[in-house]
Amino acid sequence: MDKLIETLSPIEREIIPYLNLEIKEIIKQSGRDETSVLRALNFLERKEILKIKTQRKSVIVLGVNGVYYLKNHLPERRLLGILEKNNHSIINDLKKMSKLSENEFKASIGALKRKSLIELKNGKIYINAKKEELTKKFPEEIFLEKLPLEKDSLTDEEKYAFEILKNRKEIIEITEKKKISFELTEQGKKIAGKTIKSDLLEEVTPEIIKNFPRGKKFRKYDIKAGVPKIYGGKKHFVTQSIEQGKRIWQDLGFKEMSGNLIVSSFWNFDALFTAQDHPVREMHDTFFIKDIKAKLPKKELVNKVKQAHESGISNSKGWNYLWNPEEAKSVLLRTHTTCISAKTLSNLNQQDLPAKFFSIGKVFRNETVDWSHGFEFNQTEGIVIDPKANFRHLIGYLKEFAKKMGYEKIRIQPAYFPYTEPSIEGAIWNEERKEWVEMLAAGIFRPEVTIPLLGTNIPVLAWGPGFDRLMMEANKIKDLRDLYKNDLKQLREKRAVIK
Amino acid sequence: MTNVKFSRKELEKHFNLNEKTIEKISLFGTPLEKADDKEIEIEVFPNRPDLISLQGFARAFKAFIGKDTGLKIYPINKPEKNYSVKVDKSVKPIRPHTVCAIVKNINFNDEKIKEIIDLQEKLHITIGRNRKKVAIGIYPLEKIKLPITYTARDPNLIKFIPLEASREMNAKQILQRTPAGIKYGNLIKDFKKFPVFLDANSSILSIPPIINSNETGKITEKTKEIFIECSGSDLNILNKTLNIIVTTLAEMGGKIYQMNIIDSPKMKTPDLNPDKIKISLENANKLLGLELKEKDLNPLLQKMGYEYQNQIVKVPAWRTDIIHEVDIFEDIAIAYGYDKLIPEIPNISSIGYESKENKIKSKITEILTGLNAIEILTYHLIKPEEAKKLRIQNPIELLDSKTEYKILRPNLLIPSLRILSENIDVEYPQKIFEIGTIFEKESQEETGIKEKDNLILAITPSNFTTIKQHLDYLMNTLRIKYEIKENTHNGLIDGRTGDIIINKKSIGYLGELHPASLKKWGLKMPLGVIEISLEEIYKILDNQ
């Protein structure tokens, strides 16, 4: 028992003397508020002094109109009062005099008729009862005065009033109420009602530190008890994944390149040898900006791109059509980060080679949103500009990158992109689904791309993973929309990823 | 992306399908989507429309796995009498070219007819760019009288019963009333004259690229001989498309007959002579990182359906994608086997580097998370009604957005208010921040739009003091001097909002949201915000 007493907190000690009473009384006598008393009871339950019982009960309380009627009488009572002074009134006149709403008026007439207090004849209303009957309280009125009442313990008369009132507009309401009581355990019975004095120390205070009373003991806390949750600040998990991606690129010796989200068709498509009639350039796939035209870059570059498209450049046959500079001026939300690579190539000096760059950022598609589609998502891409680079290097970089992302089993298969040749896709083995999932896109830029941008045909290796897909996998997210939902509860409780 | 399904039984008539060959389908360049007892589903990339039909895929894949390698030759018959199509000058400004063929000895059943119509439709969508570049018409030869004329006519004078219709219509009605007319009508509706194919009896066979006549343009199981035309703007692509169709029919047992196209210049189509392209072994080895010998080239190229001799590659007349030697090099690599290429990472020393701006952003993120703020990431687009709530002038709108998000965000306040309104039932206090791009019209920019990095911090419940404390802590930690100047802001309370000034420039604002704005967004708690542009901060920190 002494051991038990050592663990009692001040609030527990305060209510122990009243434990033989009901909760209502404990609150009154201890002078503590309800929350504190209930918390103390919870603590005592953990110490096996008592057992808390929770009963759920339906309680009938006054509704919005009920509160009003209780103060200002039920409408039928008011109507009866008016009728007493104006017996044999025409219905419409009575309605005007009563100042009741359509609804209230109808309900009141119905109620009075049911009680046989009034009668209707030739469109007129008159009282049909004795005076003493008129002054007697209705069961409904008595019922309203008694509220709140527990639904399960109504008398027959109360039940009658309840049945009538529950169908009328917001006079009464039923709410669920928890009724909490407790029972003392054997141990509890011994301690209940006693006044417990304690000379145990509570919190450490500057005073105690200064003059620690030798030989005194600290009260023991229930260190297993739960505590209220707290939350810290956090980066969004997508930001964390992006940082992880950046670290991989930097570990591999890549420099970051950045660029605008809004670009011209020239950089997003034309410089990347995407023919002007290619379906990807249509409005239903790409977000174009209304009423704005871009400026084209320097003439020399524009002319080379035009030549690459129309008749080809360096032994290429080109796409064999009339290239339209106006089309290249349309402004759009970039559909891939490759436009950043194109701009980087056009600004590169020969003496900077070989060079390695990466970009990471949002790209956009004109799509409706569902679990597997969004209109904006993240992409990352690396390029290597190296006169000695070849296709086997591309595969080497791709496998190394995948390995750093945590994917060991990867298969390289042919793919198609308008601006690379050869083009490949890295498929990653999904053990759960037992199938290859295409995850990384890669290729060597076509001469039709590199010659206008770089001036010569130097191999440029390029690759990047579908980043959102990787993030979904890493965060065990099945619905793409959850990446950008910003549910604060979810963000607060997100687990820390260490990679 | 085109996905096609083949009957497994039909494919097995061409080659054996076992686990090993199925595994190779993806390595051939046609990713396997599904393989079960009945069907094989693959994806065909847009550069290989010759693989859309079962016959086309089987022809190419068979060679890849070592069966019937090399360039496939189809017998072709010279034009017979009246096998000609006259191209009238009037079509030149509208739909300038046509190439045609006749195929006999056809043995159609329902299945085959479906396959051909399916091929026709997929070619229309892909290489045909929804019939703009190429439209294909197929007609039973017994219903038409040769020779044919391709000409243009006043739409009021074009009258016939369109395919699957029950009565005669004129061209305008066809464009308005038939499903194909409604879908493709805009390709010709603005021309004064519409293109038509006429037979020797002057019966209208079709209005390309819209619809055939019901009388002369419907293929049935009884059809034994057909006339095929492809019309459009790009003669090269038209020829390739025609070649894909006639060789598919030849694989089904058809006999190909050429037609005289009386155009300038005159031509005989289909022309199945292989294209020739010169390649360099040295370039191939350099690009692929291989050490192939001259003698290795032909066997590899034969696996991809080519023929090679003395630096010259003969390219099948149905390949649309070979415009440079690199296209051949890719096929050499595919034939060599991507699984046999040994990966290599060259030893180039270079140092990783992250942009200064991103480093500053990370630092600010660190400071704010230290203040218990949670980072949110929101869409760059906002909804029109959201712009209205904050009275945004001159929004930058998108063309035909498929979603309810149609405007580039002009600030980060709007997305933050959206996120807070979606989280009103989550435990308070809520402290959120975002660093992201916002957009402004700026005619000096290349694209007419300026992008800026902004930062927003929003705390609810909070007041001016709390929000200013946060600003103060952030600025002090970054060692940036700032001042606050009184100003008013849309949606904020007058006298409790102001500009944040650095170097005499306003970089943003802070303040308490007005209850009326909070109510518009369904927010129930007092809200304080700071929103600043990071540009000036980048400049200051860059100089330190």
Side-chain angles (χ1 to χ4, degrees):
Chain A
M1 186 61 79
D2 282 351
K3 243 194 178 153
L4 179 72
I5 288 168
E6 262 181 39
T7 68
L8 294 175
S9 66
I11 174 87
E12 291 168 271
R13 287 201 301 270
E14 256 176 68
I15 69 162
I16 282 178
Y18 312 109
L19 275 188
N20 291 321
L21 307 172
E22 276 192 42
I23 292 178
K24 257 189 202 167
E25 280 302 300
I26 298 179
I27 293 167
K28 218 186 252 171
Q29 303 223 7
S30 68
R32 286 292 192 152
D33 62 33
E34 188 178 350
T35 324
S36 306
V37 170
L38 288 177
R39 204 172 56 209
L41 291 174
N42 269 321
F43 292 156
L44 291 169
E45 185 177 35
R46 285 182 60 87
K47 288 167 190 158
E48 292 174 3
I49 288 173
L50 49 85
K51 219 167 155 42
I52 291 173
K53 287 195 288 188
T54 310
Q55 271 180 302
R56 280 175 200 285
K57 278 193 176 144
S58 298
V59 178
I60 305 160
V61 295
L62 287 170
V64 185
N65 289 335
V67 174
Y68 178 81
Y69 293 151
L70 189 65
K71 235 188 207 166
N72 304 304
H73 301 294
L74 283 169
E76 55 264 40
R77 173 64 68 197
R78 276 185 276 157
L79 189 66
L80 204 58
I82 291 163
L83 203 54
E84 266 185 285
K85 286 176 199 145
N86 307 283
N87 213 350
H88 294 278
S89 288
I90 295 168
I91 291 188
N92 274 341
D93 292 349
L94 186 68
K95 196 179 150 198
K96 265 180 211 155
M97 278 186 283
S98 74
K99 288 178 186 144
L100 294 172
S101 73
E102 182 76 34
N103 241 332
E104 283 180 317
F105 186 74
K106 268 190 195 159
S108 303
I109 297 280
L112 295 176
K113 262 169 71 183
R114 232 178 295 124
K115 294 181 198 300
S116 308
L117 294 175
I118 57 166
E119 225 169 275
L120 266 88
K121 219 177 219 173
N122 305 328
K124 284 181 177 176
I125 297 179
Y126 59 93
I127 294 175
N128 186 30
K130 287 177 189 161
K131 197 127 199 182
E132 54 264 35
E133 271 180 86
L134 295 181
T135 51
K136 213 172 109 191
K137 272 192 181 168
F138 301 148
E140 292 95 315
E141 289 169 308
I142 299 166
F143 182 73
L144 287 180
E145 280 166 14
K146 278 191 196 158
L147 289 182
L149 289 169
E150 280 177 19
K151 189 168 170 260
D152 291 337
S153 46
L154 295 181
T155 62
D156 285 347
E157 193 159 74
E158 285 165 353
K159 261 185 206 155
Y160 166 79
F162 169 71
E163 288 303 323
I164 289 174
L165 289 175
K166 79 170 183 196
N167 296 325
R168 288 175 59 178
K169 204 179 166 206
E170 289 173 358
I171 296 181
I172 53 169
E173 266 171 39
I174 297 173
T175 55
E176 286 284 312
K177 276 214 173 140
K178 272 198 292 190
K179 197 183 169 192
I180 295 172
S181 59
F182 65 88
E183 232 171 50
L184 292 168
T185 60
E186 283 310 306
Q187 187 172 225
K189 281 176 191 155
K190 283 180 205 153
I191 198 168
K194 284 186 183 154
T195 310
I196 293 173
K197 277 196 184 141
S198 163
D199 57 353
L200 295 172
L201 292 172
E202 286 299 325
E203 276 172 57
V204 178
T205 60
E207 195 49 43
I208 290 180
I209 298 168
K210 226 194 236 168
N211 305 307
F212 180 70
R214 247 168 222 294
K216 273 214 167 177
K217 276 192 189 164
F218 280 94
R219 179 175 65 80
K220 287 183 177 157
Y221 288 162
D222 178 3
I223 57 170
K224 287 182 185 166
V227 291
K229 280 200 166 62
I230 57 164
Y231 299 102
K234 229 178 243 180
K235 286 178 196 168
H236 196 284
F237 58 93
V238 169
T239 302
Q240 295 183 40
S241 296
I242 287 172
E243 284 175 353
Q244 186 207 340
K246 279 187 184 177
R247 218 159 37 236
I248 293 175
W249 287 116
Q250 288 177 54
D251 288 353
L252 289 165
F254 284 70
K255 281 195 171 82
E256 183 170 10
M257 47 181 178
S258 39
N260 284 346
L261 301 170
I262 302 280
V263 294
S264 62
S265 275
F266 181 85
W267 287 111
N268 198 74
F269 297 126
D270 296 287
L272 292 166
F273 199 51
T274 307
Q276 292 190 325
D277 72 344
H278 195 285
V280 76
R281 301 184 66 149
E282 283 173 22
M283 248 158 5
H284 61 256
D285 280 327
T286 300
F287 282 129
F288 287 95
I289 313 294
K290 217 169 165 178
D291 303 333
I292 297 184
K293 287 277 170 198
K295 300 183 183 78
L296 291 181
K298 56 179 197 275
K299 250 206 160 113
E300 194 196 341
L301 174 58
V302 174
N303 285 341
K304 276 188 187 163
V305 167
K306 177 180 160 78
Q307 192 198 337
H309 279 248
E310 288 187 344
S311 53
I313 206 162
S314 131
N315 296 324
S316 161
K317 292 181 186 168
W319 293 125
N320 197 15
Y321 73 102
L322 215 64
W323 186 81
N324 179 2
E326 285 311 304
E327 180 69 42
K329 287 180 191 166
S330 52
V331 176
L332 51 91
L333 277 162
R334 69 183 184 205
T335 63
H336 48 192
T337 47
T338 316
C339 56
I340 305 177
S341 303
K343 263 201 168 164
T344 303
L345 292 182
S346 76
N347 290 324
L348 207 58
N349 291 319
Q350 295 286 334
Q351 60 264 30
D352 298 333
L353 301 184
K356 303 196 267 187
F357 295 97
F358 79 93
S359 62
I360 197 159
K362 275 281 174 73
V363 299
F364 300 81
R365 302 274 157 88
N366 192 1
E367 289 235 38
T368 49
V369 183
D370 65 31
W371 72 272
S372 65
H373 293 90
F375 57 80
E376 58 178 84
F377 39 96
N378 284 287
Q379 207 177 52
T380 183
E381 175 168 294
I383 53 172
V384 174
I385 309 108
D386 174 7
K388 290 185 191 135
N390 66 44
F391 190 44
R392 288 196 296 113
H393 297 165
L394 178 67
I395 299 173
Y397 280 116
L398 192 67
K399 287 202 163 169
E400 179 69 13
F401 184 84
K403 204 164 131 189
K404 292 225 173 197
M405 301 278 322
Y407 299 100
E408 293 281 346
K409 201 171 171 191
I410 171 168
R411 184 177 79 175
I412 305 296
Q413 60 193 48
Y416 171 76
F417 310 104
Y419 41 90
T420 54
E421 193 78 19
S423 306
I424 56 175
E425 223 153 21
I428 281 149
W429 181 252
N430 186 313
E431 192 54 42
E432 222 170 288
R433 282 188 276 165
K434 299 272 178 230
E435 62 180 15
W436 293 99
V437 182
E438 287 125 31
M439 201 81 98
L440 295 124
I444 302 178
F445 279 146
R446 297 185 66 98
E448 294 94 332
V449 174
T450 53
I451 293 172
L453 292 174
L454 279 170
T456 72
N457 185 16
I458 294 171
V460 177
L461 314 179
W463 70 94
F467 206 66
D468 282 1
R469 222 155 159 191
L470 290 178
M471 283 194 283
M472 283 169 79
E473 199 126 305
N475 288 289
K476 305 244 177 293
I477 288 172
K478 299 261 187 276
D479 188 327
L480 186 68
R481 286 169 293 196
D482 285 354
L483 283 180
Y484 304 107
K485 199 160 140 207
N486 295 298
D487 176 340
L488 294 182
K489 187 170 187 292
Q490 202 183 41
L491 290 180
R492 279 172 176 160
E493 289 169 1
K494 198 85 201 162
R495 107 168 213 259
V497 180
I498 297 149
K499 254 195 180 171
Chain B
M1 297 288 167
T2 311
N3 278 17
V4 290
K5 288 179 189 164
F6 301 136
S7 141
R8 193 175 174 130
K9 213 173 100 194
E10 286 296 315
L11 265 188
E12 284 185 324
K13 288 181 185 164
H14 298 269
F15 50 82
N16 236 350
L17 265 177
N18 53 37
E19 220 169 276
K20 234 176 156 185
T21 45
I22 286 175
E23 177 84 22
K24 281 200 167 154
I25 292 177
S26 288
L27 292 174
F28 172 61
T30 43
L32 182 73
E33 298 290 324
K34 210 181 77 195
D36 59 30
D37 297 345
K38 281 198 180 122
E39 275 180 341
I40 301 287
E41 185 179 349
I42 59 163
E43 182 187 338
V44 174
F45 294 130
N47 62 329
R48 293 299 301 270
D50 59 303
L51 303 179
I52 290 174
S53 71
L54 182 141
Q55 292 72 17
F57 173 72
R59 169 177 65 202
F61 187 69
K62 210 156 57 171
F64 178 64
I65 57 174
K67 210 180 150 196
D68 300 341
T69 63
L71 187 70
K72 176 114 190 196
I73 309 285
Y74 295 93
I76 193 156
N77 302 283
K78 292 274 171 253
E80 290 184 357
K81 197 184 160 223
N82 287 335
Y83 281 19
S84 68
V85 178
K86 185 180 180 307
V87 180
D88 189 81
K89 273 198 213 99
S90 57
V91 297
K92 290 299 166 189
I94 311 165
R95 211 173 165 79
H97 301 294
T98 186
V99 294
C100 309
I102 283 171
V103 179
K104 295 185 179 177
N105 196 33
I106 302 261
N107 212 348
F108 276 155
N109 55 24
D110 268 352
E111 198 55 40
K112 289 265 159 56
I113 292 176
K114 235 186 87 200
E115 271 179 52
I116 287 294
I117 290 173
D118 196 41
L119 172 64
Q120 185 185 2
E121 265 324 293
K122 286 200 166 116
L123 290 172
H124 276 155
I125 292 165
T126 54
I127 195 172
R129 301 282 191 260
N130 283 318
R131 304 195 187 186
K132 191 177 174 195
K133 211 170 182 179
V134 183
I136 306 155
I138 302 176
Y139 313 80
L141 194 59
E142 75 263 20
K143 294 274 171 83
I144 57 185
K145 190 163 185 241
L146 298 172
I148 308 284
T149 306
Y150 177 45
T151 183
R153 273 198 177 173
D154 183 329
N156 295 315
L157 302 176
I158 301 172
K159 279 183 189 155
F160 62 94
I161 304 172
L163 206 59
E164 308 299 341
S166 50
R167 58 185 186 82
E168 194 178 82
M169 296 183 201
N170 67 32
K172 287 260 157 80
Q173 292 167 326
I174 289 172
L175 258 54
Q176 285 163 4
R177 292 182 197 168
T178 63
I182 292 160
K183 202 164 169 199
Y184 303 107
N186 58 354
L187 294 174
I188 55 166
K189 74 170 195 303
D190 293 333
F191 291 105
K192 280 198 180 121
K193 288 181 168 183
F194 289 178
V196 283
F197 281 94
L198 305 175
D199 75 356
N201 292 332
S202 285
S203 304
I204 295 170
L205 306 185
S206 67
I207 314 177
I210 314 294
I211 202 159
N212 285 7
S213 149
N214 198 48
E215 249 163 86
T216 56
K218 200 176 176 183
I219 291 168
T220 65
E221 289 195 34
K222 286 177 198 145
T223 307
K224 297 288 171 229
E225 299 178 344
I226 55 175
F227 162 66
I228 307 166
E229 49 80 9
C230 297
S231 69
S233 52
D234 185 330
L235 198 53
N236 175 48
I237 296 297
L238 290 173
N239 273 313
K240 298 284 160 72
T241 309
L242 184 65
N243 293 346
I244 290 170
I245 298 171
V246 297
T247 56
T248 297
L249 289 166
E251 293 279 346
M252 291 178 174
K255 280 187 180 154
I256 306 168
Y257 285 76
Q258 283 185 319
M259 295 188 85
N260 288 310
I261 308 297
I262 305 163
D263 198 351
S264 71
K266 285 185 181 174
M267 314 176 269
K268 280 190 174 58
T269 64
D271 177 3
L272 292 178
N273 283 319
D275 292 336
K276 284 175 188 156
I277 186 164
K278 196 176 166 192
I279 62 162
S280 142
L281 175 63
E282 190 197 338
N283 288 351
N285 278 330
K286 221 176 117 194
L287 185 72
L288 300 177
L290 295 174
E291 287 170 6
L292 299 172
K293 302 276 182 325
E294 176 73 16
K295 66 172 170 49
D296 300 328
L297 286 181
N298 196 35
L300 286 171
L301 284 166
Q302 281 183 326
K303 279 175 81 178
M304 300 306 282
Y306 304 96
E307 216 59 60
Y308 172 82
Q309 204 178 15
N310 291 334
Q311 300 186 45
I312 300 294
V313 180
K314 285 187 184 171
V315 180
W318 47 89
R319 286 290 293 263
T320 60
D321 58 322
I322 308 299
I323 59 173
H324 192 275
E325 63 175 359
V326 291
D327 297 304
I328 301 287
F329 298 162
E330 180 179 60
D331 274 353
I332 291 174
I334 292 172
Y336 186 90
Y338 280 16
D339 47 345
K340 294 190 186 72
L341 288 162
I342 297 159
E344 185 190 327
I345 295 190
N347 199 4
I348 308 171
S349 84
S350 56
I351 295 158
Y353 167 85
E354 185 182 9
S355 71
K356 178 93 184 195
E357 280 84 6
N358 277 338
K359 281 185 191 161
I360 295 171
K361 283 192 240 176
S362 298
K363 186 49 75 179
I364 293 173
T365 300
E366 191 184 307
I367 295 169
L368 293 176
T369 51
L371 287 170
N372 276 351
I374 293 229
E375 186 189 19
I376 57 167
L377 289 180
T378 62
Y379 293 132
H380 288 80
L381 306 180
I382 59 167
K383 304 173 193 172
E385 65 265 27
E386 294 176 331
K388 263 185 213 146
K389 278 184 197 161
L390 278 182
R391 287 190 233 136
I392 300 300
Q393 306 291 322
N394 239 331
I396 310 175
E397 291 172 67
L398 302 176
L399 273 177
D400 295 322
S401 168
K402 281 182 200 163
T403 74
E404 47 185 337
Y405 296 85
K406 297 177 195 299
I407 293 173
L408 293 180
R409 65 185 182 195
N411 58 42
L412 294 181
L413 180 60
I414 289 175
S416 288
L417 289 171
R418 181 195 318 128
I419 298 307
L420 288 172
S421 72
E422 286 167 2
N423 281 284
I424 49 171
D425 295 329
V426 178
E427 198 177 314
Y428 292 86
Q430 298 176 358
K431 195 189 286 187
I432 58 169
F433 76 99
E434 177 168 26
I435 296 172
T437 308
I438 59 125
F439 305 86
E440 282 171 8
K441 279 187 185 158
E442 169 62 71
S443 56
Q444 298 295 309
E445 294 287 319
E446 186 191 333
T447 56
I449 293 170
K450 186 165 173 56
E451 295 179 23
K452 285 185 185 170
D453 285 339
N454 263 25
L455 159 71
I456 192 160
L457 174 71
I459 309 174
T460 179
S462 78
N463 54 28
F464 189 85
T465 307
T466 317
I467 205 79
K468 192 173 171 185
Q469 283 175 314
H470 282 76
L471 176 71
D472 202 53
Y473 176 76
L474 175 68
M475 292 303 192
N476 287 339
T477 312
L478 294 171
R479 294 288 182 277
I480 292 174
K481 287 210 174 71
Y482 73 97
E483 284 165 49
I484 302 291
K485 203 177 127 197
E486 282 121 357
N487 201 353
T488 56
H489 284 278
N490 259 346
L492 278 73
I493 301 175
D494 276 3
R496 297 188 186 182
T497 173
D499 285 349
I500 301 162
I501 312 285
I502 303 185
N503 288 345
K504 293 180 184 151
K505 274 184 213 151
S506 168
I507 60 154
Y509 61 88
L510 82 170
E512 289 181 20
L513 267 280
H514 195 280
S517 335
L518 293 175
K519 202 173 172 195
K520 270 191 226 168
W521 289 85
L523 298 176
K524 292 171 178 169
M525 291 282 198
L527 172 65
V529 294
I530 310 168
E531 180 166 8
I532 56 175
S533 157
L534 297 180
E535 262 175 59
E536 225 27 57
I537 293 179
Y538 291 156
K539 273 188 217 156
I540 293 171
L541 297 181
D542 222 20
N543 291 332
Q544 280 176 6

